[in-house]
């Protein structure tokens, strides 16, 4: 599995499984287990997804050693009143000794204070890396002014239909890895004719083209599926390359299309 090296020298598998809206219990457990058996080594969950326990159970069931799997979870907005407590609660639910990445899920008002606590968690070794999510350039600049440890990652919504080029450039310049959520536009654009036409050219599916576009931009992607055949389909992207001219075409699909809230309104 291809990995990218983060600014603290740790490595992250470039493709992971997202489990937002995967039901707690068997649905999440089976999805994570299927993914690990398929070859995924990176799982993206969050306290607010309410399925951290199931993620932890599947990791154990897989019998794959802990060090081989990259696990991300996130501090939900309500947890900012006591981030350490929220973090420990996530660790307990995951039943893990450490997570690979702990993210501030949304740039809520208390974000700078909470970042100091994340820095302490990082120093304790219980989160191998710390980062942010849904941060705009403005939020990142503000954080970079005061942070002792710079975030390794900014996880944001990102797809050819929401090609946030300025944010990508800013992150690259500041050694913050961009990670794409909702890379499949939650399914909304999979039937777009121009995307289907490109997919046919490569004998791939629309979903595989969207994922590969992220990977070729050196962006981490975490498509979600709970269906075994799609978990496999989304992983089957390492045996082809999108030609440069088609990457350019995809870059031009941008229409600022969002499936999630726009964080740019958060002061
Ligand atoms: P995605 O773009 O990954 O799309 C998921 C949807 O597409 C599901 O309905 C899934 O259905 C369907 N799907 C998956 N694969 C295929 C395929 N090959 N063909 C057709 N349909 C497919 O959306 P998400 O919003 O879930 O984003 C991915 C992950 O990113 C989340 O799970 C979460 O981990 C993270 N995320 C983070 C956020 C943040 O604020 N930090 C916000 C949103 C997401 P099915 O399961 O039935 O296959």
């Amino acid at each position: 599995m291809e990995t990218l090296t983060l600014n603290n020298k740790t490595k992250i598998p470039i493709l992971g499984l997202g489990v937002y809206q995967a039901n707690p219990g068997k649905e999440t457990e089976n999805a994570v287990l299927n993914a690990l058996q398929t070859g995924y080594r990176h799982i993206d969950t969050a306290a607010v997804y309410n399925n951290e326990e199931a993620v932890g159970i599947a990791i154990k069931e897989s019998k794959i050693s802990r060090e081989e799997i990259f696990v991300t979870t996130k501090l939900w907005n309500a947890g900012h009143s006591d981030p350490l407590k929220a973090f420990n609660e996530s660790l307990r639910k995951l039943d893990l000794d450490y997570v690979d990445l702990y993210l501030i899920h949304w740039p809520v008002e208390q974000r700078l204070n909470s970042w100091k606590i994340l820095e302490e968690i990082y120093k304790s070794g219980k989160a191998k890396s710390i980062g942010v999510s849904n941060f705009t350039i403005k939020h990142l600049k503000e954080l970079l002014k005061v942070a002792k440890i710079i975030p390794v990652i900014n996880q944001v919504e990102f797809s050819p239909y929401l090609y946030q080029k300025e944010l990508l450039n800013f992150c690259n310049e500041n050694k913050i890895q961009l990670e794409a959520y909702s890379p499949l536009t939650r399914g909304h654009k999979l039937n777009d004719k121009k995307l289907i036409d490109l997919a046919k050219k490569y004998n791939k599916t629309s979903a595989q083209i969207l994922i590969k576009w992220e990977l070729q931009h050196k962006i981490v992607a975490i498509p979600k599926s709970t269906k075994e055949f799609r978990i496999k389909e989304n992983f089957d992207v390492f045996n082809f390359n999108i030609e440069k001219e088609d990457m350019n075409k995809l870059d031009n699909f941008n229409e600022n299309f969002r499936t999630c809230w726009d964080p740019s309104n958060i002061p």
Side-chain angles (χ1 to χ4, degrees):
M1 158 67 74
E2 190 185 335
T3 57
L4 294 172
T5 302
L6 302 173
N7 65 34
N8 64 355
K9 306 276 186 282
T10 61
K11 290 186 188 324
I12 183 167
I14 194 163
L15 181 60
L17 178 80
V19 294
Y20 177 46
Q21 290 178 327
N23 295 325
K26 283 288 171 197
E27 187 174 66
T28 299
E29 217 179 292
N30 289 337
V32 173
L33 195 57
N34 279 328
L36 293 171
Q37 285 164 350
T38 300
Y40 290 72
R41 289 294 180 269
H42 171 183
I43 309 294
D44 183 272
T45 183
V48 75
Y49 303 167
N50 201 24
N51 55 22
E52 288 168 311
E53 280 111 334
V55 169
I57 289 169
I59 288 172
K60 282 198 189 63
E61 261 175 73
S62 77
K63 306 264 192 294
I64 296 166
S65 68
R66 171 67 187 93
E67 312 84 72
E68 278 187 49
I69 307 173
F70 192 101
V71 181
T72 302
T73 193
K74 313 183 191 91
L75 172 63
W76 184 239
N77 302 351
H80 283 261
S81 55
D82 191 344
L84 183 59
K85 187 172 164 215
F87 174 77
N88 284 328
E89 187 69 7
S90 283
L91 265 194
R92 187 187 63 75
K93 287 184 175 168
L94 284 160
D95 195 20
L96 297 175
D97 298 329
Y98 68 91
V99 294
D100 294 277
L101 179 60
Y102 195 50
L103 301 177
I104 290 185
H105 205 146
W106 276 90
V108 295
E109 205 184 333
Q110 308 96 313
R111 58 188 177 266
L112 295 182
N113 273 332
S114 296
W115 186 254
K116 289 183 200 152
I117 314 287
L118 263 70
E119 290 178 332
E120 292 306 315
I121 293 170
Y122 176 67
K123 283 182 201 153
S124 77
K126 289 185 175 177
K128 301 287 178 199
S129 295
I130 51 174
V132 295
S133 177
N134 296 298
F135 273 45
T136 62
I137 293 177
K138 185 187 74 178
H139 301 131
L140 288 171
K141 279 185 176 162
E142 175 203 61
L143 178 60
L144 290 175
K145 270 192 203 141
V146 297
K148 295 199 177 72
I149 297 165
I150 61 171
V152 295
I153 273 193
N154 186 21
Q155 184 186 111
V156 298
E157 183 166 0
F158 206 93
S159 77
Y161 299 90
L162 178 64
Y163 183 25
Q164 306 190 63
K165 206 170 174 176
E166 258 185 75
L167 179 62
L168 175 62
N169 289 340
F170 182 87
C171 286
N172 285 340
E173 282 158 17
N174 288 281
K175 298 191 166 45
I176 300 168
Q177 174 65 47
L178 206 93
E179 178 171 24
Y181 74 67
S182 308
L184 307 177
T185 67
R186 279 192 201 157
H188 287 283
K189 297 289 181 184
L190 294 178
N191 289 321
D192 181 13
K193 184 170 179 315
K194 55 186 188 303
L195 176 60
I196 290 179
D197 287 345
L198 260 185
K200 277 188 190 144
K201 172 173 169 183
Y202 292 94
N203 211 6
K204 286 282 168 185
T205 65
S206 296
Q208 289 168 330
I209 295 291
L210 291 181
I211 294 167
K212 192 68 182 191
W213 176 84
E214 309 275 8
L215 308 192
Q216 287 190 209
H217 271 299
K218 298 285 176 213
I219 294 170
V220 178
I222 45 170
K224 174 261 177 185
S225 180
T226 50
K227 313 281 184 306
E228 189 176 352
F229 73 102
R230 286 178 176 160
I231 289 171
K232 290 195 160 59
E233 174 184 329
N234 297 343
F235 196 74
D236 183 21
V237 292
F238 296 102
N239 49 8
F240 80 112
N241 278 304
I242 303 172
E243 292 163 14
K244 195 166 185 313
E245 65 177 44
D246 291 330
M247 284 297 286
N248 291 340
K249 267 191 202 165
L250 285 158
D251 290 352
N252 284 313
F253 283 11
N254 183 43
E255 49 184 69
N256 297 326
F257 174 81
R258 280 181 195 276
T259 66
C260 208
W261 305 284
D262 183 354
S264 63
N265 302 322
I266 302 176

